[in-house]
Amino acid sequence: MVNYSNIETLMQEVLKRTFQIVQYAYDNHWEDRKNNTTELSKEDSRTLLVIPQYGEDRENNKEENQVSEQLLRFAFVQAFHEYVRYNGCKFFYAAEVPTIKACGEQEKRSGDYDLVIYDAKLKRICLIELKEGNGVQKETEKDFIKLTKKEEGDENVQRYFIQLLESSNDNTINNINDKLSNVKTSLCNKPNHCMPVHYYCYSLQHGSYNNPKVWKMTFQCNMAECKLIE
């Protein structure tokens, strides 16, 4: 039988390492098209992830590097592999995993989870949605509709929404807080969307490799209010 407290410990440790990996890549591994970068040393390879540049057809024609949801996904996978191998755990994962039940406004087709963690019997024990940037509320709500749905697993199945920001300020955090409060209000009208979700948000601008700055909260429709706790 799975000890579900171990899942929470795993996620706490894996997410801490995930944010370290993303931060290190952001600080040190930017794609260089002008041959200005000296060859990286072996000691520099804490991660093999590179932040790529946008193509030359980008509208503003500036040399900008692309921080994406895929960066967050691959960093999580690296951190997950490291944790499982070091601790000898029997956990597995898959990407782009279909929901069990139909989701969405009309609930006519299944959605996909960005990542799912499985136990040694290959049963779903953790559902994960990833998000880069502070997008529109509708997109965030779609992810929470999937995560909070009761038919996707009992109370032992953990659910996580993980958000990566390249930059942030007080207004950004207030905006996210308002957005999640609006999502909560919307989902309160859906009786089957009542499962709690662990929310983590990381800002590259304010974090560092040795001291990742993370905002986190537990999201649930019956909460009196939604707050981000630093």
Side-chain angles (χ1 to χ4, degrees):
M1 184 175 179
V2 177
N3 184 342
Y4 286 93
S5 63
N6 289 346
I7 309 304
E8 294 187 28
T9 300
L10 176 146
M11 287 300 294
Q12 290 173 5
E13 294 299 319
V14 169
L15 285 175
K16 179 180 178 181
R17 179 65 179 137
T18 297
F19 299 140
Q20 283 185 320
I21 292 168
V22 170
Q23 188 71 58
Y24 191 84
Y26 186 76
D27 291 342
N28 299 281
H29 290 177
W30 284 45
E31 179 184 7
D32 179 16
R33 296 180 183 170
K34 295 184 177 180
N35 299 318
N36 293 326
T37 302
T38 57
E39 184 172 332
L40 299 177
S41 65
K42 182 178 179 181
E43 290 73 20
D44 187 65
S45 300
R46 300 184 189 183
T47 180
L48 303 181
L49 287 171
V50 173
I51 310 294
Q53 279 192 15
Y54 282 106
E56 295 179 355
D57 58 346
R58 192 164 171 81
E59 289 183 3
N60 57 22
N61 203 28
K62 291 182 179 179
E63 293 184 356
E64 293 183 352
N65 287 54
Q66 182 184 24
V67 175
S68 69
E69 183 180 303
Q70 299 307 315
L71 171 67
L72 183 58
R73 183 198 300 252
F74 283 108
F76 182 94
V77 169
Q78 177 184 333
F80 180 81
H81 275 261
E82 291 176 356
Y83 182 91
V84 169
R85 289 174 177 172
Y86 181 81
N87 292 281
C89 305
K90 290 185 178 180
F91 294 118
F92 303 84
Y93 74 95
E96 299 300 323
V97 179
T99 57
I100 296 173
K101 299 289 186 179
C103 294
E105 295 179 359
Q106 298 179 342
E107 300 199 344
K108 291 183 178 180
R109 60 183 296 273
S110 64
D112 291 314
Y113 295 111
D114 290 322
L115 293 166
V116 170
I117 296 176
Y118 297 85
D119 65 13
K121 294 183 178 181
L122 302 185
K123 301 293 184 183
R124 299 182 185 193
I125 56 175
C126 187
L127 314 175
I128 302 170
E129 283 295 307
L130 307 172
K131 182 69 65 180
E132 186 279 322
N134 187 16
V136 298
Q137 179 179 320
K138 186 175 181 180
E139 293 302 312
T140 301
E141 187 170 329
K142 284 168 58 179
D143 288 337
F144 274 88
I145 285 174
K146 290 183 285 186
L147 289 170
T148 58
K149 195 161 187 176
K150 192 174 182 180
E151 290 88 346
E152 295 298 309
D154 61 23
E155 65 276 4
N156 289 319
V157 177
Q158 302 291 305
R159 299 137 195 272
Y160 283 78
F161 184 91
I162 306 164
Q163 186 168 12
L164 176 66
L165 303 175
E166 185 171 4
S167 61
S168 63
N169 53 39
D170 290 341
N171 289 332
T172 307
I173 300 306
N174 290 335
N175 178 266
I176 292 173
N177 192 43
D178 291 342
K179 189 179 299 180
L180 292 178
S181 294
N182 291 335
V183 171
K184 180 199 72 171
T185 300
S186 176
L187 293 183
C188 280
N189 297 321
K190 303 177 184 292
N192 291 332
H193 295 268
C194 57
M195 306 305 290
V197 177
H198 300 286
Y199 173 89
Y200 282 73
C201 180
Y202 182 69
S203 171
L204 288 164
Q205 180 185 14
H206 296 292
S208 66
Y209 180 82
N210 293 319
N211 185 29
K213 184 175 182 179
V214 181
W215 291 278
K216 59 184 178 180
M217 60 167 283
T218 299
F219 175 98
Q220 196 163 13
C221 290
N222 59 7
M223 289 172 57
E225 58 184 348
C226 289
K227 287 186 178 180
L228 293 175
I229 304 171
E230 185 179 332

